[in-house]
Amino acid sequence: MLSEPLAFSYAGWIAGTILIVSYGLVSCYTAKILARIILSDPRIRSYSDIGRKAFGPKATPIISMMFCLELFTVGVILVTLYGDSLHSLIPTYSSNTYKAWGLLLLIPTVFLPLSLLSYTSILGVVSTVFLTLVVFIDGFSKKDPPGSLWSPAETDMGVKGLNKLGISFGLFMAGFSGHAVLPSLARDMMDPSQFNTMINWAFLVATCIYTAIGYAGYLMFGNGVSDEVSIDLLKTAGYNPFLNNLCLWMLVLNPLSKFALSMLPLNATIEILLGIDTSFSSPEELVDKPDGLTITPTSSRFSWKRILGVIQRVFVTTLAVFVSISVPEFSSLMAFIVMAKVMIEGRTSLIDRTIIVTGILMAVWGTVSAFMSS
């Protein structure tokens, strides 16, 4: 969400608007496909199960790997957001220094049970709404540029270049990468028949918020907008400092609270590969099942498996801190969902084929562009 203005600066008004609206529509469409597949068979609980039914047992490791890769990149994004936001608030040290110090906070959280971590999700909702309000309050409270909605900065209607356009794919898509939780959500709803209505509203609200943030941030700071619009809000004179500082502190705490929640299924999968006992068959199911994920003291004798579990969680957390995001990974997952529908239902449509081809092309294009710009 914070990078939506930057995405518009890369893609321009026309392409940017088309992309963000299209992503919202495609994400909503593929979410409905996913729910229909899951609800059609009570044995299906996860992406791994979908892959097993569509492509056979050999597909299970591949699908799990894709799922874990997506979760790992989300974790890296959260660490980056935390470091950049804290550096904006306290520029005494570099962003990388704050990320390294963040290990002291992040490592203990990956051992907390889901029953405690789930309560922190409300912070994300509050911070999203608050950030949206702050952007517009700041924009309308300032009459002169930069950072004013009354006197917009210089913007472009067209694309800056093919490389920039490719990078914008991942920036726009990042806000719609909530499909990882959909298998559990579809199964756990009190009335699954209301899934389509719920998902329509969810993506409508998300698309409107992301578009509003993107439009406002791009108008306020133009082509010179930072990677995260929150940085511009803090360093631009003329705004309410208390309001902006409060917003930034919420953005610092928000990724810290979400990191462990994102890492739960990833850590669980690695623990399974290392031979740590668990009663669940897929990483997605483990999102909602804290048992077996949290290392708790017991009266049993010393176990090397328990030690390996601690080591791998510390290692994954440390790795996430130092890895930068360069691959817009979720476009390929969109293509997988539609291909699974084709394999399971034995049919396809023009829309499905278009999403498959477009998703693959954009994934390759965005990946190459990200590597070229790094």
Side-chain angles (χ1 to χ4, degrees):
M1 181 178 68
L2 296 176
S3 297
E4 300 296 345
L6 179 66
F8 274 102
S9 73
Y10 285 167
W13 286 112
I14 298 176
T17 301
I18 294 174
L19 281 173
I20 197 168
V21 173
S22 299
Y23 279 155
L25 292 173
V26 171
S27 298
C28 185
Y29 175 71
T30 52
K32 293 176 183 178
I33 293 176
L34 182 60
R36 186 162 72 246
I37 294 172
I38 293 171
L39 297 176
S40 67
D41 188 340
R43 296 171 298 177
I44 296 179
R45 298 285 302 182
S46 65
Y47 283 112
S48 301
D49 295 332
I50 294 174
R52 187 183 302 111
K53 183 172 182 178
F55 309 111
K58 294 182 179 180
T60 301
I62 299 176
I63 304 306
S64 295
M65 182 178 66
M66 291 174 60
F67 178 81
C68 291
L69 176 62
E70 194 261 341
L71 286 177
F72 181 76
T73 55
V74 169
V76 177
I77 291 174
L78 293 175
V79 172
T80 301
L81 176 59
Y82 148 75
D84 290 349
S85 299
L86 190 55
H87 174 68
S88 299
L89 285 168
I90 310 175
T92 306
Y93 300 99
S94 67
S95 176
N96 289 337
T97 301
Y98 286 123
K99 292 174 187 177
W101 288 354
L103 281 173
L104 300 177
L105 298 174
L106 295 175
I107 289 177
T109 64
V110 298
F111 298 102
L112 295 177
L114 183 63
S115 57
L116 293 178
L117 294 174
S118 58
Y119 289 106
T120 63
S121 60
I122 188 64
L123 183 61
V125 177
V126 174
S127 62
T128 298
V129 175
F130 189 66
L131 174 64
T132 305
L133 293 175
V134 168
V135 168
F136 281 94
I137 291 173
D138 285 347
F140 284 116
S141 65
K142 198 168 185 288
K143 300 297 182 180
D144 302 319
S148 172
L149 287 173
W150 300 106
S151 301
E154 181 181 352
T155 58
D156 295 322
M157 294 296 294
V159 180
K160 281 188 174 182
L162 295 180
N163 186 53
K164 296 293 186 182
L165 179 62
I167 296 175
S168 72
F169 294 160
L171 295 176
F172 279 124
M173 193 69 237
F176 297 99
S177 58
H179 284 57
V181 301
L182 289 181
S184 298
L185 180 61
R187 283 293 183 196
D188 294 339
M189 286 185 66
M190 184 176 297
D191 184 6
S193 64
Q194 296 297 314
F195 181 88
N196 284 357
T197 301
M198 178 275 298
I199 212 68
N200 285 338
W201 280 106
F203 279 106
L204 175 62
V205 172
T207 303
C208 289
I209 290 178
Y210 297 153
T211 304
I213 291 290
Y215 277 7
Y218 191 32
L219 284 172
M220 291 164 65
F221 302 105
N223 295 322
V225 66
S226 300
D227 292 350
E228 299 158 14
V229 70
S230 56
I231 297 176
D232 292 317
L233 295 179
L234 191 66
K235 70 181 183 181
T236 302
Y239 295 144
N240 185 319
F242 173 78
L243 202 61
N244 285 0
N245 280 319
L246 179 60
C247 180
L248 262 293
W249 275 113
M250 292 185 68
L251 292 176
V252 169
L253 297 176
N254 187 32
L256 290 177
S257 65
K258 287 183 175 180
F259 180 84
L261 198 60
S262 300
M263 292 294 102
L264 272 178
L266 175 60
N267 286 326
T269 302
I270 298 175
E271 288 171 1
I272 293 173
L273 294 176
L274 292 176
I276 297 176
D277 293 336
T278 177
S279 59
F280 305 105
S281 60
S282 64
E284 295 89 339
E285 288 183 85
L286 292 163
V287 173
D288 295 328
K289 306 294 189 296
D291 298 334
L293 282 176
T294 304
I295 299 177
T296 56
T298 65
S299 58
S300 61
R301 61 186 179 84
F302 179 81
S303 172
W304 281 106
K305 290 183 179 181
R306 195 176 304 280
I307 297 299
L308 288 175
V310 173
I311 293 174
Q312 74 84 16
R313 291 191 181 207
V314 173
F315 175 77
V316 170
T317 303
T318 304
L319 186 63
V321 170
F322 295 102
V323 173
S324 61
I325 300 300
S326 59
V327 180
E329 76 293 334
F330 223 80
S331 294
S332 58
L333 187 53
M334 293 294 183
F336 158 73
I337 294 173
V338 181
M339 285 190 288
K341 175 199 174 190
V342 173
M343 297 295 293
I344 293 173
E345 299 185 358
R347 61 185 175 85
T348 183
S349 65
L350 178 60
I351 295 178
D352 298 335
R353 291 193 295 269
T354 302
I355 293 176
I356 292 172
V357 175
T358 305
I360 293 174
L361 290 177
M362 293 179 74
V364 174
W365 187 351
T367 301
V368 173
S369 298
F371 276 115
M372 290 178 62
S373 63
S374 61

